[in-house]
Amino acid sequence: MLYVDLPSPAEIGHLDLRRLDGFVSVYLPTTPLTEDIRQRRTRLKQLEDEAVSRQEASGLEKLRIWPLEEHFETVLEDDDF
């Protein structure tokens, strides 16, 4: 049996109500299958690039964006991800 932590509709709705500059929500399916890990990491990197691009396009200062990039990189480097 796999443990799956999916957000409830109420939790997703709550995230949708948040309106802060620099706020990013990412939903990414994960897998315990090692042969699929590369695909998941690639997708997360794509989502990071998209999030950073949107932050930059919104005019958010780079000093406010780099912690987001650092967080993504920490997750991408985590072999347990």
Side-chain angles (χ1 to χ4, degrees):
M1 178 181 223
L2 297 175
Y3 174 75
V4 179
D5 187 14
L6 297 174
S8 70
E11 290 170 323
I12 292 172
H14 179 72
L15 286 174
D16 192 43
L17 296 175
R18 301 288 304 245
R19 295 290 178 239
L20 303 170
D21 64 343
F23 189 81
V24 174
S25 295
V26 174
Y27 178 78
L28 176 71
T30 58
T31 179
L33 304 175
T34 56
E35 61 267 14
D36 293 340
I37 291 174
R38 183 177 294 148
Q39 281 183 301
R40 301 298 191 246
R41 285 182 193 265
T42 300
R43 182 63 183 136
L44 181 59
K45 180 63 177 156
Q46 292 168 341
L47 292 170
E48 172 195 3
D49 293 343
E50 181 181 338
V52 169
S53 293
R54 286 183 180 205
Q55 297 297 332
E56 291 170 343
S58 74
L60 195 63
E61 299 171 355
K62 187 67 175 170
L63 285 173
R64 306 251 336 264
I65 297 172
W66 74 262
L68 172 65
E69 293 174 295
E70 291 289 320
H71 182 72
F72 271 109
E73 292 305 316
T74 299
V75 172
L76 284 166
E77 292 171 2
D78 184 357
D79 288 335
D80 291 330
F81 165 68

